[in-house]
Amino acid sequence: MRTLRVIGIGTGDPEHLTLQAVRALADVDAVFVLDKGADTDDLVALRRTICARHIRKAYRLVVAQDPPRERRPADYAATVEAWHAARADLLGGLIATNLGAGEVGAFLVWGDPALYDSTLRILERILARDARAFAYTVIPGISSVQMLAAAHRIPLNRIGGAVHITTGRAIADGLPPGVGSVVVMLDADPRFDHLDPELTIHWGAYLGSPDELLIVGRLGTVGPEIRRQRAAARARYGWIMDVYLLQPPETP
């Protein structure tokens, strides 16, 4: 039986790896990486650094071009479904041809594999076709949500309150009614002008890396500055990973 380990590697700092993740990497035979293009070469480079530091044997780095997908589709669900199917076809073939019987492969996942990442869904798709293709385990990692709170030195929740984690697409028409603390991920173009300007925002980008950016304040005041810094950083690096927390003003 082939074995895969899906390992959360945090948000950019090689020291984000847990002791469990370090142990899981030590005897890996192959690491599978989907390359998203020249603009994200540094993301592949960080994976190489992690592998070189923690894998204690000869190993193979299997890199393939990630299947393309439309970023602003008319039918989001259908587009993602087709993209996942293409990824499953690609990765299923890579695993079959690059991982021998009895060998151990790994996927190094940004943040935590359970939070807005498709790797586990893709692997389940492959297993739905062939349940004997491989077995896999999941090693959790430090998520951008945790890093945002740590970087700003704040709890995510108000006393006794809930935390709602969602995406930029899901709040395009405003926040859900009755929510308190809202963490927003995967917002490709945060507008903010459709939200209450009195909300407090804690924003962070490139969390845990030397390029980390942090802004906090009243949304109506700092929103334009976040958009300006975000656009400048994206132009500089070719990519951006950011996350933010929205909260209503605290009542006395």
Side-chain angles (χ1 to χ4, degrees):
M1 176 67 77
R2 300 177 177 91
T3 302
L4 293 174
R5 295 169 185 166
V6 183
I7 303 171
I9 61 171
T11 64
D13 186 340
E15 295 188 357
H16 282 180
L17 268 72
T18 64
L19 294 177
Q20 183 186 21
V22 170
R23 287 194 299 270
L25 275 169
D27 63 345
V28 161
D29 296 292
V31 177
F32 297 91
V33 176
L34 289 181
D35 189 350
K36 297 179 182 295
D39 287 343
T40 57
D41 282 347
D42 45 351
L43 303 183
V44 176
L46 179 59
R47 285 186 170 95
R48 292 182 186 272
T49 298
I50 289 172
C51 291
R53 182 178 300 183
H54 297 296
I55 300 178
R56 302 303 182 191
K57 59 186 291 188
Y59 68 93
R60 304 178 296 280
L61 191 67
V62 182
V63 181
Q65 193 68 36
D66 195 16
R69 74 178 177 96
E70 188 179 351
R71 291 295 170 179
R72 297 181 182 277
D75 189 336
Y76 178 76
T79 299
V80 172
E81 171 70 17
W83 181 48
H84 284 183
R87 275 187 154 188
D89 289 341
L90 174 62
L91 291 177
L94 289 176
I95 293 166
T97 56
N98 292 279
L99 197 64
E103 288 193 321
V104 177
F107 287 89
L108 307 187
V109 173
W110 292 109
D112 183 90
L115 191 58
Y116 289 108
D117 182 82
S118 64
T119 305
L120 302 182
R121 291 188 177 90
I122 302 305
L123 295 182
E124 286 297 327
R125 277 179 174 265
I126 299 169
L127 289 175
R129 304 170 185 171
D130 180 5
R132 298 176 296 177
F134 51 80
Y136 76 94
T137 56
V138 179
I139 292 87
I142 296 174
S143 70
S144 62
V145 177
Q146 294 165 280
M147 280 301 302
L148 180 73
H152 282 287
R153 299 178 297 172
I154 56 169
L156 291 171
N157 63 293
R158 295 278 170 76
I159 296 175
V163 179
H164 184 80
I165 301 176
T166 188
T167 66
R169 183 180 298 274
I171 65 163
D173 297 321
L175 298 182
V179 298
S181 300
V182 180
V183 176
V184 183
M185 306 177 70
L186 303 178
D187 195 344
D189 184 23
R191 294 186 291 110
F192 302 137
D193 55 0
H194 63 304
L195 300 174
D196 181 356
E198 296 303 318
L199 290 167
T200 296
I201 184 169
H202 291 82
W203 174 82
Y206 310 107
L207 292 164
S209 79
D211 303 311
E212 182 175 273
L213 299 172
L214 299 172
I215 294 177
V216 59
R218 174 182 172 272
L219 183 60
T221 303
V222 302
E225 176 63 11
I226 291 173
R227 285 181 56 83
R228 186 193 69 77
Q229 287 207 27
R230 194 179 188 281
R234 189 180 192 106
R236 184 181 311 119
Y237 302 116
W239 62 277
I240 188 167
M241 290 184 183
D242 61 340
V243 59
Y244 54 92
L245 169 69
L246 298 172
Q247 292 177 314
E250 290 196 82
T251 55

